[in-house]
Every structure is written in C-alpha cells, then in structure tokens.
C-alpha cells in the first residue's frame, strides 16, 4: 500500500481528512487516536508529532534516547506509533484518548529505564509510546532558591541552567547527565551531593502531573498522599509527570574532584575493605564512590581496577586533611586533586572528555548505550576481604563487568525511611550496582545474563537481609507482572525489595488514584483488586 506524501506542518484536522480513507483499515489505532486527540487537545498538532512504524524516522526516534540496546533487538515488541507532545494539553489528550480507546500507553522522558519499560511493553500489545522529549523547559528562580523543570529535560540541562544564574547553587541528583528528569526523580535520583542534601526526590517541593482522568494537578490539587508517592515510588504507576518544582541547594564556588586507581597489586582488597568501614562516616561534604572494572594489561592478561572517584564541597587543602585523618590508606596526594566549579565537577563525575565545556550538557547525549543487564544491592556490614577475593575471581570471568559502590551516611541517614517511598536510609553503608555489558548483540546474551545472576547469588551472604534493590536500577529478575493486573502478593515480590514497608502505602495510593490500573508496566504498583 502506498502512503501519501505529507507536509509535517499541516494541522491535525487536515491530516485526518487526508488520511481517513487510506488509514482506516491499516492503522485503526492511530486513526482513532488522532480523531480523539483532535477533540481533547489544543488545535494544530503538527503531523511531525506522530511517528508510525511505517515512517522512515521511526527506528531513529525509537532509539534516540533508549539506553539498553537489548530492548531494541528486532524480536522485541515495537510501539504502534510514537507521539511526541508539544504542549501539556497534548499529554492530557493522550491520556484521555488512550483510556477511552483501550490503548496501552507507556511514557518516556529520558529512556534510561534499565529494562526498557519506557519504550517496550512485553506485558501487552499493541501499545504506544508518549515521548516527552519536547517538553523540556527550565525556569530557574535564584531569589526563591527553586526551579521548575519539565519532564523531558535532562538533568545535565538542569545543572547548566542553574549554573547560568549562579555558581553557588546546585541540585542533588544524578551523575550521568543525560538522565531525563521525569523518570529520574520518580525513583529517587542520587548523586554526588546525596550525603550532604539527600536525593533529588527529597528536594522536590511541587509537581504537575496528568492523572488518569486527564486532569493537570499540582501539589495542592493532588493531595499529600499522591505527592508523597510520586517522589521515589517509581515511574509510570500514578500518572504522567509534566514538571517538578525543585529546591536548589548551596554549593561553594570551588569544589574538588579526584580519581585514584588501585590494582590488586597495589593493595586494592585492603583499601576497599577500609573504604567500607569509613565511607558512610566521612565528612558529609565528601562523596567517594568506587568503580570496579576489568582492564587489559597485555593481550592475554587482564586486571581488576578499583577506581575511587570523588566530589568534595570545598578546597583541596581541607579535603586532604579529611582524608589524612579518616582514610589515609587511599594515598591521596595534592597532585590527584582538581579544584573546579560545581558545574564543571558534574562534567568530571559524568565522565565527559576533559576538554568538554558545560555547553555539552545542553546536547543531552548519553555516554552509555550498550547491551547490558544490571542488578543492585544495599550493604549494611563490611564485606570481608576473603569475599572480595572471590569477587575478583568472578569479575575476571566476564568480558565487560562493572560494579559501582556508592556511599551512604550523612543526610541519607537523617531522613526517615517513610519520608518518601525511597526507604534505603539509616544503617545502609553503601549501594552496589552490578552491570554486565556486551557488544555482540543478542548472540551470547544468555551467557552474560547467567554470569550476572550467578554473581548476584554469590553476593547473597554479604548484603542486606531481607534483600533490597533500587527501583531506578529496574530488575525484572525480581518478578514481573504478566497479566496487567497483579495481586498484592505477586507484586510484593519486587515491591518490598524496592520500597520495603512503603510498598503498602503505595498500593493504597494507587488504588485511590488509578483503581483500574491504567498506568501500568511489568513492575507496576498495583491497585487492590476489586472484589465481586
């Protein structure tokens, strides 16, 4: 079937007239959605806001912000079309029409969902993707110490816009600057300022959300229960986040960053054991994470590298004093320390090239696109040296393994587990992220998946019990909804690991605001099932 050439600037009304005859049979979902949207949104939505599977740009748009290439394999389900709203009312219309027409709608802000839940639905087809990438305005109010940020903006853009107005204000969120703020903050949002100021979600003071009825609600209109749930309760279960109002935090004009590498021959095992004992107790202005990877030494020999990557809110002289007093085993020197501005420290911690300027943050480009599988844990007691030695052996068995250990303590220990849905607070020493990456597509995926699952099993005795996980490191191994309406008992398999006792309150909120489970995905917060 041949499709007519279409001017992307024509209005939706004209589009409907042009396509009504040719698409009624072939594209009944898109046809019905277009007609409904015309009745429930502001006029003149350009055709360029829609991209169907037949469109030559479909694949590039689908892939544009998707991080996990595992979910872009040809065998994975694809959306019937991608709708890119240009205005808040378009999101309202998308919700109203998807619900009215019985279309499964999933929402993407930054595409960083580890299991591809923002661009793939494996629980039901057909489905559509509502891509919020055009809703990315940022309004910074320095006198009010706040900013309104739309869901499609990246956290790097937010950092840049703050720095345009002030070199002594920041925001405590992610280190990887291409994260879309819509989904990032719904899961918690941690970064180099977390030990000083908590999570991004701890510093949200208002929000705008489209609810299941297509209404736009701010904090006052949605009520405190829903406002509580969306700040750390995971994305896409309660509505569509349009924007957040965030509280800006003070940062000094000069901060210090450093990276120190330790190999096994340089005492990596003992140094890491010591880091576990002190990382959560260090000055709250200091964040030292450990990145563990394997690097080639010769053509036939590889080595485990532990990389201590840090941000300190202050000058190098003070940092060196703190390290000498609390963690001299690291061997930090003046030459390791780089004094810089907070905005440039975000480039450094985000692993941008050393010659990059802050303007690179406006590009919103990801530095991480791979086939990968990830898992997470929280640790409450130091892992013994003998267990670390077993860990090194297992890392050397995998092609591209990665672990990131992020310290807790400081403000993270002062905030109640129930303040927001994110519960991993007092008593947590650090969080572990496990990653296996591969470059041969789907060919040997199962082997890599088996490796990371075996590693996860190996770590069982050394992590929290009961075991817990971070919702922004989504892991479908923990369980998944295969019926689009899981029971509480079924969903508790993953819900309790992500949210501990807060899961029960999340279910109560979900039952109130979305009783028919319109906003759903493979690990949704379920409503309480209706009894007949």
């Amino acid at each position: 079937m041949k499709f007519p050439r279409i001017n992307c600037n024509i209005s939706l009304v004209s589009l409907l007239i042009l396509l009504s005859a040719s698409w009624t049979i072939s594209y009944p979902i898109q046809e019905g959605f277009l007609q409904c949207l015309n009745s429930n949104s502001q006029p003149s939505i350009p055709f360029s806001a829609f991209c169907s599977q037949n469109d030559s740009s479909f694949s590039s748009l689908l892939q544009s912000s998707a991080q996990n290439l595992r979910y872009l394999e040809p065998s994975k389900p694809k959306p019937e079309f991608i709708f890119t709203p240009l205005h808040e009312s378009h999101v309202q219309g998308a919700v109203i029409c998807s619900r009215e027409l019985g279309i499964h709608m999933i929402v993407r802000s930054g595409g960083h969902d580890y299991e591809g839940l923002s661009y793939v639905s494996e629980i039901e087809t057909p489905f559509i993707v509502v891509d919020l990438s055009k809703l990315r305005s940022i309004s910074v109010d320095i006198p009010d110490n706040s900013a309104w940020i739309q869901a499609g903006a990246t956290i790097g853009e937010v950092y840049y816009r703050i720095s345009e107005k002030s070199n002594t204000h920041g925001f405590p969120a992610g280190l990887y600057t291409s994260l879309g703020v819509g989904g990032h903050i719904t899961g918690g949002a941690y970064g180099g300022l977390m030990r000083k100021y908590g999570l991004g979600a701890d510093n949200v003071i208002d929000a705008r959300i489209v609810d299941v009825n297509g209404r736009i609600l701010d904090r006052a209109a949605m009520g405190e229960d829903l406002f509580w749930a969306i700040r750390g309760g995971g994305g896409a279960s309660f509505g569509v986040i349009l924007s957040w109002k965030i509280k800006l935090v003070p940062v000094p004009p000069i901060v210090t960053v450093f990276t120190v590498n330790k190999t096994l021959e340089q005492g990596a095992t003992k140094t890491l054991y010591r880091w576990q004992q002190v990382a959560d107790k260090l000055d709250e202005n200091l964040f030292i994470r450990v990145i563990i990877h394997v690097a080639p030494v010769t053509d036939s020999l590889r080595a485990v590298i532990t990389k201590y990557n840090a941000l300190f809110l202050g000058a190098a002289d003070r940092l060196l004093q703190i390290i000498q007093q609390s963690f001299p085993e690291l061997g930090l020197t003046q030459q390791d320390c780089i004094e810089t501005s907070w905005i440039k420290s975000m480039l450094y911690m985000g692993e941008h090239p050393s010659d990059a300027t802050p303007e690179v943050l406006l590009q919103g480009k990801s530095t991480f696109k791979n086939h990968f599988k990830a898992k997470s844990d929280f640790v409450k007691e130091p892992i013994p040296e003998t267990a670390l030695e077993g860990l090194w052996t297992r890392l050397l068995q995998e092609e591209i393994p990665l672990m990131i250990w992020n310290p807790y303590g400081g403000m993270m220990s002062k905030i109640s587990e129930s303040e927001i849905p994110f519960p991993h607070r007092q008593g947590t020493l650090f969080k572990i992220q496990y990653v296996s990456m591969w470059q041969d597509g789907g060919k040997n995926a199962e082997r890599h998946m088996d490796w990371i699952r075996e590693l996860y099993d190996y770590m069982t005795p050394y992590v929290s019990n009961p075991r817990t996980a971070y919702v922004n490191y989504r892991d479908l191994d923990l369980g998944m909804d295969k019926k689009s309406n899981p029971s509480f008992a079924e969903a508790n398999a993953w819900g309790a690991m992500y949210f501990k006792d807060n899961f029960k309150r999340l279910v109560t909120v979900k039952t109130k605001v979305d009783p028919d489970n319109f906003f759903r995905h493979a690990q949704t917060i379920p409503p309480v099932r209706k009894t007949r």
Side-chain angles (χ1 to χ4, degrees):
M1 177 177 183
K2 294 188 71 174
F3 293 86
R5 290 183 177 273
I6 295 171
N7 180 345
C8 292
N9 294 314
I10 64 174
S11 70
L12 185 57
V13 175
S14 302
L15 172 68
L16 286 170
I17 295 171
L18 180 63
L19 297 185
S20 59
S22 62
W23 281 25
T24 300
I25 297 174
S26 300
Y27 287 87
I29 293 176
Q30 187 163 341
E31 173 82 5
F33 187 85
L34 291 170
Q35 291 176 339
C36 177
L37 198 63
N38 186 47
S39 302
N40 289 281
S41 298
Q42 291 184 352
S44 299
I45 302 174
F47 180 59
S48 57
F50 297 88
C51 188
S52 69
Q53 292 185 17
N54 184 68
D55 196 297
S56 61
S57 61
F58 178 79
S59 292
S60 62
L61 180 58
L62 182 64
Q63 296 171 18
S64 59
S65 63
Q67 302 302 301
N68 195 340
L69 303 182
R70 186 158 57 93
Y71 286 98
L72 294 176
E73 292 289 325
S75 60
K76 295 297 183 181
K78 303 294 186 292
E80 294 295 303
F81 60 90
I82 301 169
F83 172 48
T84 307
L86 305 178
H87 189 273
E88 288 183 341
S89 70
H90 301 167
V91 182
Q92 291 179 276
V95 170
I96 291 168
C97 295
S98 296
R99 187 181 181 196
E100 186 176 303
L101 299 170
I103 299 171
H104 180 40
M105 183 190 89
I106 60 179
V107 180
R108 178 168 78 175
S109 61
H112 278 258
D113 190 287
Y114 274 21
E115 298 281 17
L117 300 188
S118 60
Y119 48 97
V120 172
S121 174
E122 297 198 79
I123 61 171
E124 57 190 295
T125 55
F127 66 97
I128 67 170
V129 168
V130 176
D131 186 320
L132 302 180
S133 60
K134 298 295 186 183
L135 299 178
R136 58 195 317 134
S137 72
I138 299 166
S139 177
V140 177
D141 186 342
I142 294 299
D144 189 50
N145 293 312
S146 68
W148 273 103
I149 57 177
Q150 282 195 303
T154 65
I155 198 64
E157 289 176 281
V158 174
Y159 295 159
Y160 182 87
R161 296 305 179 194
I162 294 170
S163 74
E164 273 190 318
K165 299 288 184 71
S166 168
N167 68 347
T168 57
H169 287 76
F171 182 64
L175 298 175
Y176 292 99
T177 53
S178 61
L179 293 162
V181 300
H184 180 45
I185 294 175
T186 61
Y190 78 90
L193 300 182
M194 63 184 284
R195 302 189 65 251
K196 178 71 172 180
Y197 297 115
L199 306 171
D202 293 323
N203 291 275
V204 168
I205 51 182
D206 204 342
R208 288 170 62 80
I209 185 173
V210 177
D211 76 353
V212 71
N213 296 309
R215 301 174 299 176
I216 295 179
L217 308 176
D218 62 7
R219 179 176 183 173
M222 75 178 78
E224 288 303 300
D225 283 343
L226 181 53
F227 184 63
W228 173 85
I230 62 177
R231 293 174 297 143
S237 284
F238 302 98
V240 182
I241 301 294
L242 293 173
S243 55
W244 303 103
K245 186 179 184 182
I246 58 173
K247 178 175 66 178
L248 306 185
V249 300
V251 295
I254 297 295
V255 305
T256 305
V257 293
F258 70 79
T259 299
V260 172
N261 292 324
K262 295 283 186 181
T263 65
L264 300 188
E265 292 74 19
Q266 294 169 326
T269 304
K270 290 189 179 300
T271 305
L272 186 58
Y273 183 67
R274 179 61 180 159
W275 175 89
Q276 295 180 81
Q277 296 173 314
V278 303
D280 68 308
K281 303 172 187 66
L282 293 170
D283 187 305
E284 65 182 14
N285 291 293
L286 177 56
F287 172 90
I288 307 177
R289 64 175 178 169
V290 187
I291 302 170
I292 306 170
H293 64 106
V294 172
V297 178
T298 67
D299 289 343
S300 59
L301 183 65
R302 302 193 307 154
V304 173
I305 309 293
T306 58
K307 182 167 73 172
Y308 293 82
N309 180 230
L311 168 65
F312 176 65
L313 299 177
D317 288 348
R318 177 61 184 144
L319 168 61
L320 286 163
Q321 291 174 0
I322 293 170
I323 293 295
Q324 186 57 40
Q325 291 168 1
S326 304
F327 192 20
E329 297 84 354
L330 183 60
L332 184 69
T333 68
Q334 183 79 48
Q335 289 69 37
D336 296 319
C337 300
I338 302 170
E339 292 187 338
T340 187
S341 63
W342 175 74
I343 188 64
K344 289 185 178 178
S345 79
M346 291 298 96
L347 297 177
Y348 181 91
M349 299 295 287
E351 300 184 337
H352 289 275
S354 58
D355 60 350
T357 63
E359 284 70 27
V360 73
L361 299 175
L362 298 177
Q363 297 175 8
K365 290 185 178 179
S366 173
T367 56
F368 187 90
K369 272 183 180 281
N370 292 280
H371 289 79
F372 71 91
K373 172 65 181 176
K375 303 177 81 66
S376 62
D377 265 316
F378 290 86
V379 179
K380 294 180 175 293
E381 298 288 341
I383 299 168
E385 290 184 35
T386 52
L388 295 179
E389 290 166 356
L391 178 59
W392 310 147
T393 300
R394 285 161 175 80
L395 291 174
L396 287 166
Q397 294 169 353
E398 180 62 342
E399 293 173 17
I400 314 176
L402 176 69
M403 295 180 74
I404 303 176
W405 296 19
N406 286 284
Y408 274 54
M411 181 58 74
M412 293 298 292
S413 295
K414 300 173 186 176
I415 299 173
S416 163
E417 285 195 357
S418 60
E419 182 69 22
I420 64 172
F422 180 97
H424 314 289
R425 303 287 188 173
Q426 188 173 14
T428 298
L429 301 184
F430 58 97
K431 175 178 66 207
I432 295 178
Q433 177 179 189
Y434 314 86
V435 184
S436 174
M437 296 173 280
W438 56 94
Q439 298 174 335
D440 52 4
K443 187 167 59 174
N444 294 303
E446 281 307 311
R447 175 165 60 83
H448 301 293
M449 302 273 276
D450 289 344
W451 175 84
I452 197 170
R453 289 165 180 157
E454 289 169 6
L455 177 66
Y456 186 74
D457 289 344
Y458 169 78
M459 294 295 289
T460 302
Y462 312 113
V463 298
S464 64
N465 183 17
R467 209 158 191 176
T468 51
Y470 178 39
V471 69
N472 271 0
Y473 297 158
R474 185 79 65 180
D475 182 3
L476 294 183
D477 287 351
L478 306 182
M480 61 182 290
D481 161 31
K482 297 179 180 178
K483 301 189 294 290
S484 78
N485 189 21
S487 68
F488 175 86
E490 291 167 334
N492 195 58
W494 62 83
M497 293 184 73
Y498 292 140
F499 308 113
K500 297 187 181 180
D501 289 343
N502 293 334
F503 182 61
K504 297 172 186 175
R505 184 177 174 188
L506 288 169
V507 170
T508 299
V509 175
K510 172 74 169 185
T511 304
K512 179 181 178 181
V513 304
D514 184 18
D516 296 321
N517 202 27
F518 171 74
F519 296 110
R520 60 189 181 271
H521 53 77
Q523 284 189 340
T524 195
I525 303 294
V528 174
R529 286 178 174 174
K530 298 175 182 177
T531 56
R532 295 184 179 181

